Amino acid sequence: MNVGAHVSISGSRVSSDTETPPYDDIRNAVCRQVAFGGNCGQIFTTSPQVWAQPEISEEAALGFREETAVKLEGPWVIHSSYLVNLCTPKDDLRAKSLSSLQAELDAAEKLGIPYVNTHLGAHTGAGVEGGLDNAASAVDELDVPESVTILIESDAGSGTKLGGEFAHLAEIIDRTDTEIGVCIDTAHTLVAGNDLTTPEAVDETVSRFDDIVGLEHLEYIHLNDSKHDVGTHKDEHAHLGEGYIGEDGMAAIINHPDLRDLPFALETPTEDGRGFAWNIQKAKELREEGQD
């Protein structure tokens, strides 16, 4: 099972090698992932709350690639800045979004990471059609390295944000000339109005996704339970099996024949004395139970 967490790259160097002096480095992500019990996962290359460019030395990039190859099994994905808005009708925000996303694509190539994940953003008055057109044309302005694929993440669908409906994901794929993929967030999918609480509901939702978007475009899954119910459009993640998706829904997702071989990255909370390690272990237990 390819499962891991969204880990931080910040702070002193994390290593079991006591002879290695501490330093701040993107290689921290690999050791942290291993410590949590993960074998793939997600990172920010810089703060997601500000317009900042990733700063990665050649030495750090080489070390990250080498340690990933030795210690992990599944692929990394970079999550773009939360400020990126591909749907915006505002020229200045569009320019900043493109610059930020291009930097992440270049960083992914440098790090040997095959995916950069981003939200479509909000159309803020441009309308759904206008927002989708804006996003598609923005994607086509990017210089995407051959080794990297842009993933559009499903959204909770609040306000004028796009990506909450499967049709939005299908439309952006159709409207761009760039080969892009999709990342489904299970918590977002639930609160956007798609039932994932039982095996039957998961089957129906996966089938509908396949009909509208196509499973061939699904490359990654953000595996999160939700603190809010179907159709609420409230984005707040819960520990696996302890939210509104619940153990039955989570087990059905993790073991679904069309989903089980995809990489899963957790964005679950750290609370109640539990964090990523607990949730990764829970995911593995639900996989094992599904094989009984």
Side-chain angles (χ1 to χ4, degrees):
M1 181 180 185
N2 285 332
V3 61
H6 182 124
V7 295
S8 172
I9 68 170
S10 64
S12 296
R13 169 70 166 162
V14 180
S15 177
S16 58
D17 181 1
T18 56
E19 296 181 359
T20 302
Y23 54 91
D24 294 340
D25 204 293
I26 197 164
R27 284 170 282 192
N28 291 341
V30 181
C31 292
R32 287 194 173 112
Q33 194 65 257
V34 172
F36 288 136
N39 59 13
C40 66
Q42 181 172 262
I43 57 170
F44 291 123
T45 62
T46 186
S47 171
Q49 307 286 1
V50 298
W51 295 113
Q53 300 286 310
E55 298 181 1
I56 304 166
S57 70
E58 292 295 339
E59 177 189 1
L62 176 60
F64 178 88
R65 294 195 304 270
E66 290 178 341
E67 291 189 27
T68 292
V70 171
K71 298 178 179 180
L72 303 180
E73 297 176 24
W76 285 106
V77 56
I78 291 174
H79 195 301
S80 71
S81 168
Y82 291 140
L83 302 180
V84 168
N85 187 342
L86 300 177
C87 294
T88 182
K90 301 177 181 179
D91 291 340
D92 58 341
L93 180 54
R94 179 186 174 95
K96 290 179 179 178
S97 297
L98 285 171
S99 177
S100 176
L101 197 50
Q102 184 64 59
E104 301 291 11
L105 292 168
D106 294 340
E109 182 181 37
K110 187 174 185 178
L111 294 168
I113 294 177
Y115 302 114
V116 172
N117 179 74
T118 189
H119 293 270
L120 285 175
H123 66 70
T124 61
V128 173
E129 294 299 314
L132 291 170
D133 282 341
N134 290 341
S137 62
V139 168
D140 285 339
E141 283 189 36
L142 294 164
D143 182 12
V144 183
E146 289 186 7
S147 61
V148 182
T149 299
I150 297 172
L151 303 183
I152 304 298
E153 181 179 344
S154 63
D155 199 90
S158 61
T160 64
K161 291 181 180 178
L162 300 184
E165 298 180 18
F166 292 161
H168 297 165
L169 304 175
E171 284 294 327
I172 194 68
I173 291 170
D174 289 343
R175 296 183 191 208
T176 180
D177 294 327
T178 305
E179 291 291 330
I180 60 176
V182 171
C183 172
I184 284 292
D185 183 303
T186 53
H188 296 173
T189 301
L190 182 85
V191 300
N194 307 281
D195 194 356
L196 293 171
T197 59
T198 66
E200 295 77 17
V202 171
D203 282 341
E204 190 280 329
T205 295
V206 171
S207 177
R208 188 157 38 81
F209 177 90
D210 191 25
D211 288 342
I212 297 171
V213 183
L215 282 164
E216 68 273 16
H217 299 296
L218 182 57
E219 301 279 356
Y220 225 106
I221 293 177
H222 284 171
L223 190 66
N224 304 301
D225 212 326
S226 172
K227 292 185 178 181
H228 303 280
D229 207 350
V230 180
T232 57
H233 303 291
K234 294 180 179 180
D235 182 10
E236 195 174 5
H237 299 172
H239 293 307
L240 299 189
E242 298 194 358
Y244 278 88
I245 294 177
E247 283 201 5
D248 288 348
M250 276 294 163
I253 292 166
I254 289 169
N255 291 292
H256 194 283
D258 291 324
L259 309 179
R260 59 179 289 114
D261 293 333
L262 292 169
F264 297 93
L266 282 69
E267 300 168 323
T268 46
T270 298
E271 59 187 17
D272 305 323
R274 292 170 292 176
F276 286 137
W278 185 92
N279 282 280
I280 289 173
Q281 181 58 34
K282 184 68 173 181
K284 292 176 180 178
E285 290 172 1
L286 292 173
R287 169 60 63 86
E288 291 173 0
E289 290 173 7
Q291 294 174 336
D292 292 341

